Structure formats: C-alpha cells, structure tokens
C-alpha cells in the first residue's frame, strides 16, 4: 500500500491583492477546503464544488511512490529522527525531504508553466498534516528557485508538524513573507516532533537540529472551531513558539492522544480527510451526510 502525495496543493489565483495582505479568516477557510481536496481521487470536481464550476481551467494531479513510504503511520516524524540539509537553509526531517523531492520534481514544470502564463496572479500553497509539512517546503523551494515570485506566494497550513530546525524556521520567516500556520486548539500533531523543552525558560530550545516551528501561528483556542471563531495571531515569545498559544497545551495530549486527534482531523468543523470522500467537496452534501450520520448516533 502506497501513500498518495497529492497533498501539497498549489494554486495560481487572481483572487487576492498581495500588497495589502494580512490573515484573512475567509481565505483561511477556503484554504482548508483546498487542502482537503488533495485527499480526493478527483480534485478537479472537488475544486469546482468548492469554488464554482468554471473557476479552474485545469488541474494537474500526480503521485509519488517510494519504497520507504509504505504506510501512513510512517509520517509520524518521531520515528524518523534523521535530519538533512535543505538548500543550505537549515535542516529538515529526512522523511519530509524524500516525500517533497518526489512530488516537486514531477509538478515543477506544470507549476512554472502556469506561473509564466498568468504572470500577475498570486500563488496559493496549502496543505494539511503531512501535506502541511510539504507545503512549507514547497513555499521555501519556490522562493529559492524563483526569487522574483516571493511576494506572490501565500502559504496557509493546517495541523502542521515541525518541519525543520531553528535555522530553517528563521530562514522560512525571512523568505516566505505571507505564511500562516493555522492550529486547532489541542491538535497533537503540531507538537511533533517534540521540541527540546527547556523547563527553566519554558521555551523550545533553538540549538542545532532542535525541531522548531516557523511562523506565523494562527491559534484557535476553542473546542468548537468555526470560521467565525476568535483567533490569536501568535507574535509573543519565544518567536514562532509562543508559549501563550498552542505550545501551552504541549503535554496535554501525550498520554491520551485519542481525545485530541479530532482536533487534527477537523478544521473549521470539517473533517478534511472525509470531506472529499463522502461529498466530493460539496459543502451542502457534506452537511447533509454529516447530519444523517449523527442522527443515528
């Protein structure tokens, strides 16, 4: 059994004005749905259901298979602690890098052909869970390969694990200007792989090879995350690991992950994995099915 890696979702779009860009809850909601479409066998239909029948001109899907990536459990980064240099911008987990290189190599030509064709469009990059880690790497790689595209990139991730070390995080902050890492309450995956916690300083260590998040965390501190819910832009200290945001719940789920996992699978009250499967990304059909299922419980 192989993992399907159409999880990094890159969209060339004319919908937003980069020059005046800040976190936008409506765009975040749409990005979450986009990241969910990556789980579908038919992403083009999914996108049409989300944004309208004629919004997309074409959708390119590809898959990447690798003999070491043969089960979904492998993405738990703690099981793969080796780190590798990423373009001299710090170190990232080897697992992320292997998965990313496979899919980026296949989709890069399609991506740049569309960028050249639609020269004034913004570039949306998004992903959920493992896809969030790959989206982080994609944004960084695009800026490295095509520096003139930096101001056109908008990155939203959901339930993102730590991708690299402190050096990678700081380089990412410098190079990817419009980056938002959305976290749903006590989502346990955002605390993996665990940082080296400094008890006295109540902070994640920033040494070489220490796992560390990049910014900007957007934290929903509620057990019922909705598009209308209040959120916090986490700009406190330590930078990108603000102890007043999701990091304050670091140890809450380690002993009983089962109670927390739904906060990883669901963003904006949408099960991102099931959304395309049971409704082909139609919100109306999803809600009808959701209500029918829960009426039986």
């Amino acid at each position: 059994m192989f993992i399907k890696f159409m999880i990094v979702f890159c969209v060339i779009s004319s919908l937003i004005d980069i020059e005046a860009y800040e976190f936008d809850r409506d765009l975040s909601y749409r990005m979450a749905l986009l990241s969910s479409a990556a789980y579908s066998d038919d992403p083009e239909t999914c996108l049409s259901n989300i944004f309208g029948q004629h919004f997309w001109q074409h959708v390119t899907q590809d898959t990447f298979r690798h003999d070491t990536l043969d089960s979904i459990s492998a993405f738990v980064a703690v099981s793969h602690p080796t780190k590798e240099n990423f373009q001299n911008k710090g170190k990232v987990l080897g697992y992320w890098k292997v998965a990313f290189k496979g899919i980026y190599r296949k989709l890069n030509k399609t991506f740049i052909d569309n960028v050249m064709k639609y020269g004034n469009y913004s570039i949306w990059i998004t992903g959920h869970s493992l896809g969030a880690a790959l989206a982080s790497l994609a944004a960084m790689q695009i800026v490295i390969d095509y520096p003139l595209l930096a101001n056109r990139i908008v990155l939203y991730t959901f339930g993102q694990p730590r991708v690299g070390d402190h050096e990678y995080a700081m380089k990412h902050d410098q190079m990817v200007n419009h980056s938002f890492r959305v976290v749903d309450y006590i989502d346990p995956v955002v605390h993996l792989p665990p940082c080296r916690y400094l008890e006295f300083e109540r902070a994640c260590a920033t040494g070489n090879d220490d796992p560390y998040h990049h910014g900007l965390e957007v934290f929903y501190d509620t057990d019922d995350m909705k598009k209308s819910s209040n959120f916090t832009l986490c700009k406190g200290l330590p930078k990108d690991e603000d102890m007043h945001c999701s990091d304050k719940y670091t140890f809450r789920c380690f002993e009983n992950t089962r109670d927390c996992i739904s906060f990883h699978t669901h963003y904006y009250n949408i099960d991102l994995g099931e959304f395309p499967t049971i409704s082909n990304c139609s919100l109306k059909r999803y809600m009808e099915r959701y209500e029918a299922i829960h009426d039986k419980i």
Side-chain angles (χ1 to χ4, degrees):
M1 176 179 174
F2 292 100
I3 305 172
K4 186 173 166 184
F5 276 106
M6 205 294 224
I7 304 176
V8 174
F9 211 101
C10 186
V11 178
I12 314 300
S13 172
S14 62
L15 290 186
I16 59 176
D17 178 7
I18 289 290
E19 295 300 322
Y21 194 73
E22 296 179 354
F23 179 74
D24 184 317
R25 69 172 77 230
D26 291 325
L27 180 58
S28 181
Y29 181 73
R30 285 188 287 173
M31 288 285 205
L33 299 183
L34 281 175
S35 70
S36 178
Y39 291 107
S40 173
D41 290 327
D42 184 10
E44 189 161 6
T45 299
C46 259
L47 296 178
S48 295
N49 285 335
I50 294 169
F51 285 96
Q53 189 66 35
H54 304 293
F55 184 83
W56 310 101
Q57 294 198 0
H58 56 85
V59 177
T60 300
Q61 182 181 32
D62 213 327
T63 58
F64 169 65
R65 292 180 170 84
H66 188 280
D67 57 6
T68 64
L69 308 178
D70 58 358
S71 78
I72 195 64
S73 62
F75 94 85
V76 178
V78 179
S79 298
H80 299 270
T82 59
K83 298 183 180 67
E84 297 184 14
N85 183 283
F86 188 78
Q87 304 289 346
N88 295 318
K89 306 298 182 184
K91 294 181 180 179
V92 301
L93 286 175
Y95 180 80
W96 306 151
K97 187 175 179 180
V98 168
F100 169 72
K101 286 174 66 177
I103 197 67
Y104 187 78
R105 183 171 59 248
K106 290 190 173 187
L107 293 181
N108 184 38
K109 184 179 186 304
T110 301
F111 164 74
I112 199 61
D113 285 349
N114 280 279
V115 166
M116 297 298 291
K117 184 176 181 180
Y118 304 104
N120 62 339
Y121 282 22
S122 57
I123 301 166
W124 295 357
I125 303 175
T126 188
H128 169 248
S129 195
L130 165 61
L134 303 187
S136 168
L137 294 173
M140 190 77 148
Q141 187 68 62
I142 290 169
V143 174
I144 292 170
D145 290 346
Y146 313 106
L148 295 179
L149 298 181
N151 286 332
R152 292 168 57 186
I153 291 174
V154 180
L155 172 67
Y156 275 71
T157 66
F158 304 89
Q160 178 185 312
R162 292 184 176 94
V163 178
D165 61 8
H166 183 262
E167 181 183 0
Y168 172 81
M170 296 302 104
K171 291 291 187 182
H172 195 283
D173 286 351
Q174 292 172 15
M175 298 176 68
V176 183
N177 299 323
H178 309 292
S179 171
F180 298 100
R181 182 171 52 82
V182 182
V183 178
D184 182 6
Y185 192 37
I186 51 175
D187 182 341
V189 172
V190 304
H191 304 299
L192 298 175
C195 70
R196 184 164 59 88
Y197 187 71
L198 303 177
E199 187 70 34
F200 181 73
E201 299 179 26
R202 294 193 69 249
C204 290
T206 60
N208 292 336
D209 294 342
D210 287 323
Y212 203 91
H213 271 305
H214 62 71
L216 175 67
E217 180 180 355
V218 181
F219 181 49
Y220 285 79
D221 195 0
T222 173
D223 62 2
D224 187 25
M225 181 186 181
K226 300 175 182 175
K227 188 168 71 168
S228 59
S229 299
N230 292 330
F231 60 85
T232 300
L233 298 179
C234 303
K235 299 180 180 180
L237 297 176
K239 177 178 169 57
D240 297 338
E241 294 277 5
D242 187 339
M243 293 305 297
H244 296 95
C245 288
S246 63
D247 275 2
K248 67 184 179 182
Y249 296 128
T250 295
F251 303 107
R252 179 163 173 173
C253 295
F254 280 6
E255 292 184 0
N256 193 2
T257 306
R258 185 174 299 176
D259 290 345
C260 302
I261 198 64
S262 66
F263 295 100
H264 179 65
T265 58
H266 291 69
Y267 272 73
Y268 300 109
N269 276 341
I270 301 290
D271 186 319
L272 298 183
E274 287 192 353
F275 178 54
T277 304
I278 68 175
S279 70
N280 217 354
C281 299
S282 165
L283 280 170
K284 181 180 179 181
R285 286 200 296 271
Y286 177 81
M287 295 310 298
E288 290 172 349
R289 179 71 180 275
Y290 179 86
E291 290 170 359
I293 292 172
H294 283 264
D295 284 344
K296 297 178 180 179
I297 297 176

